[in-house]
């Protein structure tokens, strides 16, 4: 539970490279997420370390500019051939992405979620950049790295009891 409370969005990264073993742990964490039904797990991933490709990812949208500072990025993809409920594939992907972000914090890394789906122009950008097949839908970009100066995973109390309702709204 400590990791859940301490995880924060990290927008500035150090130059230190992420070890391959940690990237594998991030991907294993992602694949432990629950799928929507009957073992249907649509997630696939593109791991990017190449600085030129990371630069191209940062050009997807104004919100993606911070990706440029990361030394690793993961593009999450949904294989629509492996989706049980086509209208809720984004829920499956969100569970996998949250697992990546939690594992990143646990491993001393920082992560930044850059939304892609359902914004068609962003999805088209990644589809073209990676020459994705028709059945593969980009979900998001996760910028990763060791937290930079002034950035850290730390506890900030966000609990707001006024948002909690029992039995009725």
């Amino acid at each position: 539970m400590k990791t859940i409370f301490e995880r924060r969005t990290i927008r500035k990264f150090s130059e230190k490279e992420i070890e391959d073993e940690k990237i594998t742990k991030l991907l294993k964490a992602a694949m432990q997420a629950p799928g929507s039904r009957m073992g249907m797990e649509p997630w696939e991933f593109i791991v990017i370390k190449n600085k030129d490709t990371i630069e191209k990812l940062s050009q997807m949208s104004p919100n993606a500019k911070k990706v440029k500072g990361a030394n690793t990025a993961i593009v999450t993809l949904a294989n629509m051939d492996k989706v049980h409920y086509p209208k809720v594939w984004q829920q499956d992907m969100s569970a996998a992405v949250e697992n990546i972000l939690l594992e990143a914090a646990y491993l001393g890394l920082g992560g930044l979620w850059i939304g892609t789906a359902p914004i068609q122009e962003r999805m088209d950008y990644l589809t073209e950049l990676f020459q994705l097949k028709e059945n593969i839908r980009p979900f998001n970009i996760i910028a990763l790295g060791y937290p930079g100066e002034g950035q850290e995973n730390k506890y900030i109390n966000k609990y707001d009891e006024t948002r909690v309702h029992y039995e009725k709204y």
Side-chain angles (χ1 to χ4, degrees):
M1 294 302 287
K2 183 177 185 282
T3 303
I4 290 172
F5 289 107
E6 291 182 352
R7 190 214 61 80
R8 292 285 153 257
T9 297
I10 303 298
R11 292 180 174 85
K12 185 177 178 185
F13 304 96
S14 76
E15 294 294 318
K16 183 178 177 182
E17 294 289 323
I18 299 175
E19 300 85 349
D20 289 339
E21 301 81 32
K22 288 188 176 182
I23 292 171
T24 299
K25 287 180 180 182
L26 295 171
L27 296 169
K28 283 182 175 184
M31 293 183 201
Q32 286 300 119
S36 59
R37 185 166 179 208
M38 300 174 5
M40 299 296 281
E41 298 161 343
W43 41 74
E44 296 189 21
F45 308 91
I46 302 174
V47 177
I48 297 113
K49 290 186 170 190
N50 178 283
K51 287 293 185 188
D52 291 335
T53 307
I54 288 174
E55 166 71 29
K56 289 175 185 172
L57 290 175
S58 76
Q59 296 170 13
M60 178 186 73
S61 71
N63 293 344
K65 290 188 187 316
K66 296 288 184 189
V67 173
K68 187 175 182 177
N71 58 51
T72 302
I74 297 176
V75 175
T76 63
L77 309 166
N79 182 331
M80 299 308 289
D81 293 340
K82 296 181 180 179
V83 170
H84 187 76
Y85 294 114
K87 292 186 178 183
V88 297
W89 65 273
Q90 294 173 3
Q91 292 178 31
D92 292 340
M93 296 305 298
S94 294
V97 170
E98 181 68 6
N99 280 7
I100 290 172
L101 295 171
L102 288 171
E103 182 69 5
Y106 178 77
L107 296 173
L109 303 170
L112 172 62
W113 174 322
I114 306 296
T116 301
I119 302 169
Q120 195 61 50
E121 65 188 29
R122 293 179 185 185
M123 293 174 72
D124 290 346
Y125 182 87
L126 293 179
T127 296
E128 184 176 320
L129 181 63
F130 294 107
Q131 308 273 306
L132 302 176
K133 297 176 185 175
E134 188 175 313
N135 65 314
I136 305 296
R137 292 197 188 149
F139 178 65
N140 80 345
I141 301 168
I142 306 168
L144 295 159
Y146 283 90
E149 186 179 330
Q151 302 281 298
E152 64 180 311
N153 288 304
K154 65 179 180 179
Y155 177 70
I156 297 172
N157 186 359
K158 295 171 76 174
Y159 181 74
D160 178 356
E161 68 181 45
T162 65
R163 294 177 178 228
V164 180
H165 311 278
Y166 291 93
E167 310 300 337
K168 61 182 180 176
Y169 187 80

